[in-house]
Amino acid sequence: MRIKWFSLVRITGLVLVLTYHFFQNQFPGGFIGVDIFFTFSGFLITALMVDEFGRSRDFKLLAFYRRRFYRIVPPLVLSVLLVVPLTFLVGRDFVTGLGRQIAAALGFVTNYFEIATGGSYENKFIPHLFVHTWSLAVEMHFYIIWGILAFVIAKAVQHWAPPTRHQTSTASLPMFRLALFILAIGLAVYSLMSMFLRAAGLSDFSPVYFSSVTHGFPFFVGSALGTVTGIRYVAPSFQRSWRAWTWQSAAGVMALSALTLIVLGDLLQFDQLITYRGGLLLATLLACVMIFSARVLHEKTPNVPEPKPITFLADVSYSVYLFHWPLYVIFSHLMTNWLAALVTTSLSIVLSALSYYSLEPLIAGKPAHFFKWPLQWRLVKWPFLILTAGLALLTIQVTRTAPQLSRLETNLWLSGITQDVDKLNATQAIATAKPAPAVKAATATGTKPAKGVSIIGDSVTLGTRDYLGAHVADSSIDAEGDRTMDLAYKVMMEQQKNHLLREYVVICIGTNALNDYQEQLMKVVNDLAPGHKLVLMTPYNAQATASWNSSKLGELERSLPKKYNFITIADWGKAAPKHPDAFKGTDGVHFGGIHAGDVAYAQVINDALKVAQTRPAKS
């Protein structure tokens, strides 16, 4: 029995996820689309469990797992086999650690693999191609646990409420419903409290977002709703409640809850504590309202068919979710973001339709068709097996030869080691040698800094540190991955306090710009001691639009020399696009190890230093 209008719930979740992945800065909270999927899955699975028990007074665990296997695994395997050949369109960095990613995806442990490796959708470097399968892992863990619990409850009900000659098969159904409801509420509260408590004090919320324990509550909230409404075997309380509704009120509530979810997707942030202490729960509850009103609307519109385009998009939504992320990662590095989003969506829908209507039914031994032509296994068996074997061999070869560290990661790792050694040597030299005259002056007067250049940067600077040190005269470099302006400020103030900050201070920060970028930047400007000259390196991100914080920071920096005569701009944001070879096969931000990027980056700094020589120091 298909419930009309449930398709709109699935589509809402899919649209939220797609917009989040495609336009993360403009729609930062779209990740709640996953919580809609979780809630709906919990509802639907539990409602079907209730139907099965009402029909047969039993719940067959192995049959349940078999149905889940055929629905989840074939599209997952297909997405892996079809995506891997497309990685030849981009650099080898995109297949770094691919074997472990695929093993985690097929083993349904991607969520814990990402926690262990520090993965995230908001990864600053090249993201994992199959990071999105973390949600499948959480879903599969729910199916395993909830299936076992439902099986135990069914057996307990059979034992404690055996049928009599005069009972119908549904006589013990209320007991089964109640037991599932109480258990679902208990597990939802436990999971929700785990997220609430474990989120405290975190700067990176990926561990609580990915964990099956902390992010399992939407499934159980949906399950509780599923015991109340059901599909065929509807609870009496639900029957009484929906009679008071009109189809207009059901449609209105459904539309309002969907609109509220969209607004929520625009407001929530992945890195805000409120998201994990109420935001995801609110999204889950709104999803329940959508599900409930859709269920009522189904009852109120018996003669209104669901539009076929809506049904189609709902059918392929799971496979679209599987295909879209790796395709987007690849295409977004080959074309503009809007075009990449369009190509990704179109190709994902085509491949998903092929999977849902043709391949999945064939694998499960069910009737299948390709457009309007019926497919028979005997006719497509050998072409299908040969193509699958070829793709499997190609996937194995790619994973066998895939690097374990990307070129960028290797470069940053080596640069970090070199920087640590330099710091140790500098500390030892300071501890054992007499201060240089310039340093003495700085210590005595507090106004005359040492000659030279102090460069404070993020991972972009770290990636080119060796070249920069050799080609920017008399420079010291302190760079670190994921460094934001507030962290750069702390480094600057520490060097200033210890009289190590040199005359020219170059701040190469901004790609990781936070919402309070203006306040952070002005602290650097205002608290820099007199006698220094400040050079601000504008950030560059090939994917950034004018609405991104990094772009806004760059514009703010360009406006400062008119107000502060000790500030000079090193405009990397405008110079970098003139050197496309430096970013070929990269994430569009880093160029570590690419000589053209090293040369261009150092040149921009040196040009700015020449201009700074003609400007006064801070007074």
Side-chain angles (χ1 to χ4, degrees):
M1 177 181 177
R2 185 178 186 121
I3 302 298
K4 295 177 297 184
W5 318 119
F6 275 171
S7 299
L8 295 174
V9 180
R10 289 174 170 169
I11 292 172
T12 301
L14 181 63
V15 169
L16 284 168
V17 170
L18 292 182
T19 51
Y20 168 62
H21 287 162
F22 296 159
F23 312 107
Q24 189 178 106
N25 278 60
Q26 295 88 343
F27 202 66
F31 51 81
I32 62 172
V34 171
D35 294 88
I36 297 175
F37 284 134
F38 284 178
T39 307
F40 183 74
S41 292
F43 164 84
L44 187 60
I45 290 302
T46 306
L48 293 175
M49 287 175 173
V50 170
D51 281 3
E52 182 177 346
F53 190 87
R55 183 174 61 254
S56 63
R57 205 176 180 273
D58 196 7
F59 174 70
K60 294 180 172 58
L61 183 61
L62 293 181
F64 170 73
Y65 287 155
R66 188 182 303 113
R67 291 192 298 270
R68 294 296 88 206
F69 175 87
Y70 281 120
R71 183 67 190 97
I72 293 175
V73 175
L76 174 60
V77 174
L78 179 65
S79 68
V80 171
L81 294 179
L82 291 180
V83 162
V84 169
L86 294 175
T87 61
F88 288 103
L89 298 174
V90 289
R92 283 181 53 76
D93 280 355
F94 287 82
V95 296
T96 300
L98 187 62
R100 292 182 299 162
Q101 293 183 52
I102 293 175
L106 298 181
F108 297 101
V109 291
T110 295
N111 57 335
Y112 292 112
F113 170 75
E114 295 298 333
I115 291 174
T117 58
S120 171
Y121 284 129
E122 304 197 338
N123 197 310
K124 302 300 187 299
F125 307 137
I126 296 173
H128 291 163
L129 287 175
F130 298 104
V131 61
H132 66 310
T133 60
W134 74 270
S135 63
L136 269 69
V138 179
E139 189 166 357
M140 185 60 76
H141 301 163
F142 164 74
Y143 290 150
I144 293 172
I145 294 171
W146 196 235
I148 293 173
L149 292 176
F151 176 77
V152 171
I153 290 174
K155 294 305 178 185
V157 170
Q158 289 174 351
H159 176 75
W160 292 105
T164 65
R165 292 176 55 189
H166 304 291
Q167 280 183 325
T168 65
S169 61
T170 59
S172 55
L173 182 57
M175 186 181 297
F176 183 71
R177 283 184 191 273
L178 180 61
L180 283 180
F181 177 82
I182 294 173
L183 191 58
I185 292 296
L187 290 172
V189 171
Y190 173 77
S191 174
L192 186 62
M193 290 306 299
S194 296
M195 175 173 281
F196 186 92
L197 295 174
R198 289 175 59 182
L202 294 180
S203 58
D204 177 13
F205 293 97
S206 295
V208 294
Y209 184 74
F210 284 141
S211 173
S212 298
V213 175
T214 53
H215 209 156
F217 67 88
F219 288 104
F220 297 113
V221 173
S223 296
L225 179 62
T227 63
V228 174
T229 63
I231 302 296
R232 288 184 181 275
Y233 291 84
V234 180
S237 57
F238 176 68
Q239 288 180 328
R240 291 191 296 269
S241 66
W242 68 257
R243 290 193 183 106
W245 291 55
T246 64
W247 75 265
Q248 293 93 336
S249 59
V253 170
M254 189 176 184
L256 181 61
S257 56
L259 180 61
T260 308
L261 280 166
I262 293 173
V263 172
L264 193 64
D266 186 54
L267 297 177
L268 290 181
Q269 300 276 347
F270 190 87
D271 58 356
Q272 290 181 345
L273 182 61
I274 192 173
T275 297
Y276 306 92
R277 288 188 164 181
L280 297 182
L281 175 61
L282 179 57
T284 298
L285 296 177
L286 287 169
C288 285
V289 173
M290 273 198 81
I291 294 168
F292 186 88
S293 55
R295 185 69 183 85
V296 173
L297 189 60
H298 170 83
E299 300 291 345
K300 292 295 182 178
T301 56
N303 300 318
V304 179
E306 190 174 60
K308 290 186 178 180
I310 292 178
T311 303
F312 168 76
L313 288 176
D315 287 344
V316 302
S317 59
Y318 166 61
S319 294
V320 168
Y321 177 82
L322 287 178
F323 280 109
H324 88 278
W325 174 253
L327 292 179
Y328 174 67
V329 170
I330 293 171
F331 291 137
S332 63
H333 288 83
L334 298 174
M335 56 193 74
T336 61
N337 191 61
W338 274 100
L339 185 57
L342 180 61
V343 172
T344 295
T345 303
S346 302
L347 186 56
S348 296
I349 291 175
V350 171
L351 293 175
S352 299
L354 176 65
S355 173
Y356 184 82
Y357 295 110
S358 301
L359 299 181
E360 293 175 47
L362 282 176
I363 295 171
K366 297 179 179 179
H369 62 273
F370 182 73
F371 292 99
K372 295 183 179 181
W373 297 284
L375 290 177
Q376 296 182 11
W377 176 244
R378 62 182 181 85
L379 297 178
V380 300
K381 175 181 178 181
W382 287 112
F384 174 77
L385 293 177
I386 291 172
L387 180 60
T388 301
L391 291 173
L393 290 174
L394 178 62
T395 299
I396 292 172
Q397 179 61 22
V398 171
T399 56
R400 283 182 67 251
T401 59
Q404 294 307 304
L405 285 176
S406 69
R407 178 175 52 186
L408 174 61
E409 289 169 331
T410 302
N411 182 271
L412 293 179
W413 181 65
L414 293 175
S415 296
I417 292 176
T418 303
Q419 178 169 276
D420 290 341
V421 172
D422 289 346
K423 285 182 177 180
L424 287 174
N425 292 336
T427 302
Q428 183 179 13
I430 292 173
T432 59
K434 294 181 179 181
V439 177
K440 284 183 178 179
T443 304
T445 66
T447 59
K448 188 177 180 181
K451 297 295 183 181
V453 182
S454 291
I455 301 176
I456 301 173
D458 54 19
S459 56
V460 179
T461 312
L462 182 60
T464 188
R465 184 181 185 276
D466 290 345
Y467 185 90
L468 207 57
H471 292 83
V472 177
D474 197 13
S475 63
S476 68
I477 303 171
D478 189 310
E480 187 175 348
D482 293 339
R483 180 175 281 171
T484 49
M485 191 68 75
D486 58 328
L487 299 177
Y489 170 81
K490 291 180 180 179
V491 173
M492 185 188 79
M493 296 304 293
E494 185 67 22
Q495 291 187 11
Q496 187 167 281
K497 175 184 176 183
N498 295 316
H499 309 293
L500 299 175
L501 196 65
R502 302 185 182 186
E503 179 183 7
Y504 295 89
V505 180
V506 183
I507 303 294
C508 306
I509 299 289
T511 305
N512 306 315
L514 303 178
N515 290 333
D516 58 344
Y517 62 89
Q518 183 172 2
E519 177 185 348
Q520 292 180 4
L521 177 60
M522 295 316 298
K523 285 181 65 178
V524 171
V525 173
N526 294 329
D527 293 349
L528 180 67
H532 293 282
K533 298 181 180 183
L534 182 61
V535 176
L536 297 176
M537 185 84 147
T538 60
Y540 173 70
N541 185 335
Q543 307 300 321
T545 65
S547 64
W548 288 36
N549 286 340
S550 59
S551 301
K552 295 176 182 178
L553 172 63
E555 288 304 313
L556 174 61
E557 289 175 334
R558 294 183 185 102
S559 69
L560 293 180
K562 295 180 180 179
K563 184 177 181 181
Y564 302 93
N565 59 6
F566 63 90
I567 295 179
T568 303
I569 299 301
D571 211 335
W572 179 241
K574 291 185 177 179
K578 300 175 183 178
H579 303 275
D581 289 346
F583 299 95
K584 191 173 182 180
T586 74
D587 60 355
V589 175
H590 304 85
F591 52 84
I594 299 178
H595 184 64
D598 294 334
V599 173
Y601 197 80
Q603 186 64 50
V604 169
I605 291 180
N606 281 323
D607 289 346
L609 289 172
K610 290 178 182 178
V611 175
Q613 290 175 3
T614 66
R615 300 177 72 88
K618 186 176 182 181
S619 60

